[in-house]
Amino acid sequence: MQRTTKAKNLGLKSLSLLVIVTLFLCCAGGHLGKNNSGQFKNGMVVSANEIASQVGVDILKKGGNAVDAAVAVQFALAVVYPNAGNIGGGGFMVYRSAKGEVNTLDFREKAPAKANRDMYLDTLGNPIVDKSLYGQLAAGVPGSVAGMVEAHQKYGKLKWADLVAPSVALANNGFKISARQASELNGLKNRFTKLNPLGTALVKDTKWAEGDLLTQTELGKTMKRIEEQGRAGFYEGTVAEAVVTEMNRGGGIITKEDLKNYQAIWRKPLQSKYRGFDVVTMPPPSSGGIALIQLLKSVEPYPLKKWGFNTDSTVQLMIEAERRVYADRAKHLGDPDFYKVPVEGLMADAYVKKRMASFNWEKASTSAEISAGEVAPAEHEETTHFSIVDKEGNAVAITTTLNGSYGAGVVVKDAGFLLNNEMDDFSVKPGSPNMYGLVGGEANAIAPGKRMLSSMTPAILAKDGDLYMIVGTPGGSTIITSVFQTILNVVDFDMSMQNAVAAKKFHHQWLPDDVAVETNALDSLTSEKLKAKGYKFVSRGAIGRVDAILKTKWGYYQGGADPRGDDKAVGW
Ligand code: DON
């Protein structure tokens, strides 16, 4: 009898323990919502699309590592998320192995050999805006396929073909589009029809609706070639021919040589510290890494935790840091293979401190009075981000893009993939804003074979030798500030990964001299206080679509999938 009661008690105890543990695991992530399904021990993929996240997790389950999964996800996104997922674009990868080895891969697009600095100007020297945004001439030489081949050769474990095969099937068999995708495709029908007179799978006679099957057989053939021939399947032969034919059809300038010569480059990662966390991120030609490190260093001396999330002091400090950092970006950042970027000078503690010295709590600085700082010379709107971690703890952060949503709007006939419009990321004319309102100068002028400056900021944080966070986002110029805010939300404001990603954001980029805010990002008292000091707020729609992973102190992976999109965290 006693035994039975004991056993019962024990049973009840274990049951309550189980309930507590389950509740904890479900709720520790804060309000998980539809984009997030909990915490996992063996690995996780967070991307802009559930099908792509699932493709990645399937690779992890088959014994693939984070890089294998990343390659599979990059290709899957090119099929199921054509607005930004791509093989016709480029991107950056930040890698950190479970043992702490770090590396970064630059597979950014390049200006074709026939490009020249005035190619988007009219006879009076003014930018012809549409020329760098739509059509064949807007495209840089794509880097994504070369990037994936490089990443796989260096770190991959599974067979290449196994990583591409899911995307061949998705393209050929089709997938069900989301309501958001249906509405985008309907909205872009006229542009697609105009830019693709020979037809494309993205256009159909009737309206697209949620759940419709999007089948892309031309893309399927290209994916098959990549599966069978690797890099040559894209940069040479039939696909290269199709690209050149497409260029000739619409006044583009990418040649077979441009394609054959394209190389992805391993670059030395930028590394810094923020409140004891190691930060690993992307060096130029992205401006994102330098800017992120400058921002973190600018705010580190201040007690943000004490002030709290989005209070007037916190917001004011962040705006003033952003103003100074974006002014530097406009002058000093460009492709390091063409321009001496003062990387160390910009990130030096003394330099950042000096930049912040002019900030006055009583009154907003103006962007007219803040120009780029004098730095010690160098010693020598659509993108997508995904974060992946595998069972061993190897981590990958990739941000990849066509630049604008659906890139240049041109689907290469017979090859089925969208061309990027990344040429607009160059300073088409010094001082003239690009599609994100960013200005630039000589450092980012167009030159043949040069990479255009980017804001993409894939980043990985570690603490005491162990992985802590994988983070990144699309959003053009707002990428840098979104990654910055997400890191602060976790490190300073103790938010769960999901809450940090979902939290409302604001953004300042030096020029224009106003602060963009998501609806309800700031309470009215905070914004009134700041307005009285001279800050101008402009409300706007969603800022960023952050997809991130946090390793909790109990060793679980907690996803943050942005509710601003169809993004999804899938783990196992
Ligand atoms: O590389 C860059 O900074 C831009 N091409 C990114 C574009 C982007 O994030 C658009 N997304 N909404």
Side-chain angles (χ1 to χ4, degrees):
M1 182 67 188
Q2 230 183 0
R3 266 179 153 193
T4 348
T5 322
K6 247 191 186 170
K8 247 191 199 165
N9 281 345
L10 215 65
L12 275 176
K13 265 189 193 158
S14 332
L15 188 68
S16 6
L17 194 68
L18 188 73
V19 170
I20 292 169
V21 169
T22 314
L23 276 176
F24 172 76
L25 289 183
C26 296
C27 306
H31 303 291
L32 292 177
K34 67 178 170 43
N35 307 66
N36 196 322
S37 38
Q39 307 200 41
F40 299 87
K41 192 85 192 173
N42 291 321
M44 185 174 260
V45 179
V46 191
S47 85
N49 181 283
E50 182 169 5
I51 302 170
S53 294
Q54 190 60 54
V55 164
V57 168
D58 291 346
I59 294 292
L60 295 179
K61 286 183 178 169
K62 276 188 197 148
N65 61 25
V67 173
D68 290 318
V71 171
V73 171
Q74 171 81 31
F75 286 120
L77 285 169
V79 180
V80 299
Y81 192 66
N83 16 354
N86 67 82
I87 52 175
F92 301 117
M93 171 173 114
V94 176
Y95 171 76
R96 182 183 184 278
S97 77
K99 293 193 181 120
E101 176 200 348
V102 292
N103 210 342
T104 59
L105 180 62
D106 164 2
F107 53 99
R108 180 72 161 166
E109 300 93 323
K110 293 175 75 163
K114 284 189 191 152
N116 70 74
R117 60 183 294 145
D118 297 335
M119 63 190 278
Y120 301 112
L121 303 183
D122 63 18
T123 47
L124 299 173
N126 296 318
I128 309 169
V129 177
D130 278 5
K131 240 180 152 182
S132 60
L133 284 177
Y134 308 116
Q136 291 77 347
L137 191 61
V141 183
S144 292
V145 177
M148 293 307 102
V149 170
E150 271 293 331
H152 178 254
Q153 278 173 357
K154 196 166 178 72
Y155 296 113
K157 221 165 103 185
L158 297 189
K159 279 208 322 261
W160 170 258
D162 293 346
L163 309 179
V164 192
S167 301
V168 178
L170 279 168
N172 288 334
N173 303 337
F175 70 97
K176 287 186 177 166
I177 62 171
S178 68
R180 194 185 303 269
Q181 288 177 317
S183 120
E184 284 168 7
L185 291 176
N186 290 331
L188 288 168
K189 184 173 178 175
N190 287 344
R191 184 187 300 165
F192 286 149
T193 309
K194 197 167 142 226
L195 289 167
N196 300 278
L198 302 179
T200 150
L202 302 179
V203 172
K204 69 180 177 89
D205 294 340
T206 53
K207 271 194 178 291
W208 289 100
E210 179 180 4
D212 280 355
L213 207 60
L214 173 57
T215 310
Q216 302 168 84
T217 46
E218 291 186 357
L219 179 59
K221 280 189 212 150
T222 300
M223 286 290 183
K224 188 75 193 165
R225 291 199 163 92
I226 296 171
E227 179 194 312
E228 290 173 352
Q229 302 165 40
R231 136 170 211 130
F234 183 82
Y235 291 98
E236 295 171 47
T238 312
V239 174
E241 300 271 354
V243 171
V244 172
T245 308
E246 189 61 64
M247 290 295 136
N248 294 339
R249 190 175 293 126
I253 53 174
I254 297 177
T255 61
K256 277 192 194 167
E257 290 66 43
D258 285 326
L259 292 167
K260 203 162 172 198
N261 292 338
Y262 182 87
Q263 294 295 340
I265 301 175
W266 292 102
R267 296 193 188 271
K268 190 168 162 270
L270 295 183
Q271 289 183 268
S272 185
K273 279 211 178 271
Y274 178 64
R275 300 201 197 282
F277 291 88
D278 298 307
V279 181
V280 186
T281 184
M282 197 67 213
S286 185
S287 62
I290 290 182
L292 175 65
I293 289 170
Q294 287 186 306
L295 287 171
L296 292 170
K297 285 192 173 180
S298 305
V299 303
E300 196 172 23
Y302 298 87
L304 292 184
K305 198 193 229 1
K306 192 171 129 214
W307 292 344
F309 170 73
N310 281 8
T311 55
D312 54 328
S313 304
T314 300
V315 173
Q316 187 178 0
L317 176 70
M318 288 166 72
I319 293 171
E320 292 302 342
E322 290 169 9
R323 187 192 311 279
R324 287 154 179 81
V325 166
Y326 276 82
D328 278 348
R329 181 197 190 279
K331 175 160 183 207
H332 295 298
L333 274 292
D335 181 349
D337 298 341
F338 284 72
Y339 184 88
K340 274 200 178 313
V341 180
V343 177
E344 300 305 327
L346 285 166
M347 297 190 310
D349 292 339
Y351 174 73
V352 174
K353 196 167 163 208
K354 199 167 132 214
R355 291 288 278 163
M356 288 302 281
S358 62
F359 150 50
N360 172 0
W361 282 111
E362 302 310 317
K363 195 169 144 287
S365 303
T366 65
S367 291
E369 72 199 11
I370 301 289
S371 53
E374 290 304 320
V375 188
E379 277 149 25
H380 56 114
E381 190 150 318
E382 186 92 25
T383 298
T384 192
H385 174 85
F386 52 96
S387 295
I388 301 186
V389 62
D390 65 22
K391 201 168 178 171
E392 277 77 48
N394 303 303
V396 170
I398 287 188
T399 314
T400 178
T401 186
L402 289 166
N403 193 26
S405 198
Y406 298 89
V410 176
V411 182
V412 176
K413 187 65 199 152
D414 297 329
F417 66 88
L418 278 151
L419 291 172
N420 67 79
N421 58 348
E422 219 73 59
M423 292 296 282
D424 191 65
D425 271 351
F426 278 116
S427 306
V428 165
K429 181 184 177 188
S432 284
N434 74 356
M435 75 183 281
Y436 303 107
L438 290 168
V439 290
E442 192 50 41
N444 190 32
I446 304 175
K450 185 173 176 182
R451 283 159 152 92
M452 54 296 280
L453 184 62
S454 173
S455 300
M456 294 190 284
T457 314
I460 299 180
L461 273 66
K463 177 96 200 234
D464 303 328
D466 203 13
L467 175 67
Y468 185 65
M469 193 195 296
I470 313 168
V471 60
T473 182
S477 56
T478 68
I479 290 175
I480 299 164
T481 46
S482 295
V483 171
F484 174 49
Q485 286 172 84
T486 307
I487 293 175
L488 298 191
N489 287 348
V490 175
V491 171
D492 291 271
F493 307 124
D494 296 324
M495 290 186 203
S496 69
M497 195 70 258
Q498 185 60 38
N499 287 351
V501 164
K504 299 283 185 185
K505 302 199 185 71
F506 61 90
H507 167 78
H508 180 63
Q509 61 178 46
W510 180 52
L511 293 177
D513 193 353
D514 49 34
V515 185
V517 277
E518 284 186 308
T519 319
N520 299 329
L522 305 180
D523 63 45
S524 50
L525 191 62
T526 304
S527 47
E528 285 314 316
K529 272 193 198 164
L530 292 172
K531 275 184 208 161
K533 291 182 179 179
Y535 292 94
K536 193 171 149 233
F537 294 98
V538 180
S539 69
R540 61 163 272 178
I543 298 182
R545 272 173 76 171
V546 179
D547 284 335
I549 298 174
L550 187 71
K551 187 172 178 190
T552 67
K553 56 180 151 198
W554 297 278
Y556 283 87
Y557 298 121
Q558 196 182 76
D562 206 315
R564 293 166 183 83
D566 300 326
D567 305 39
K568 186 80 181 174
V570 181
W572 74 295

